[in-house]
Amino acid sequence: MKILVACEFSGIVRDAFAQRGHDAWSCDLLPTEIPGQHIQGDVRVLLDCGWDMMIAFPPCTYLARSGARWWRDRQIEQADALQFVETLLAAPVSSVALENPIGIISTR
């Protein structure tokens, strides 16, 4: 399978799939911590590249309940974060898994 691990710079998930014979790639704005198949940049430009599976770990700063006390003052940032999640979920990929911390994603 051709697998995209979105918002991952550690390389751990990517390498776990690669060790099982998959064509696995990670993508993040940060460089990878472990050399391997990594694309540094905005994952949104890669979503229509024929992936069989995507595992996404969107930044939870404005999504997780742990930051809820600041949400009132960060509504624009939260709206942007939710739009990013919606973009990931709408990607033309047949199998998508998205990290969903306790927070706002499931209620929106």
Side-chain angles (χ1 to χ4, degrees), residues 8-26:
E8 184 207 34
F9 62 91
S10 71
I12 293 170
V13 175
R14 173 201 68 212
D15 288 355
F17 280 99
Q19 288 173 0
R20 287 160 183 79
H22 298 287
D23 182 17
W25 290 79
S26 58

Side-chain angles (χ1 to χ4, degrees), residues 1-5 17 47 50-56 88-89 91-98:
M1 292 179 72
K2 186 176 174 187
I3 300 173
L4 173 62
V5 185
F17 280 99
L47 296 179
W51 305 102
D52 298 307
M53 177 188 288
M54 176 176 61
I55 300 157
L88 293 174
L89 291 174
V93 180
S94 59
S95 297
V96 175
L98 184 117

Side-chain angles (χ1 to χ4, degrees), residues 2-11 14 23-47 49 51:
K2 186 176 174 187
I3 300 173
L4 173 62
V5 185
C7 310
E8 184 207 34
F9 62 91
S10 71
R14 173 201 68 212
D23 182 17
W25 290 79
S26 58
C27 179
D28 198 275
L29 296 174
L30 299 173
T32 186
E33 293 178 339
I34 302 171
Q37 296 190 127
H38 180 76
I39 300 166
Q40 185 176 347
D42 189 335
V43 71
R44 291 174 283 197
V45 302
L46 301 173
L47 296 179
C49 291
W51 305 102

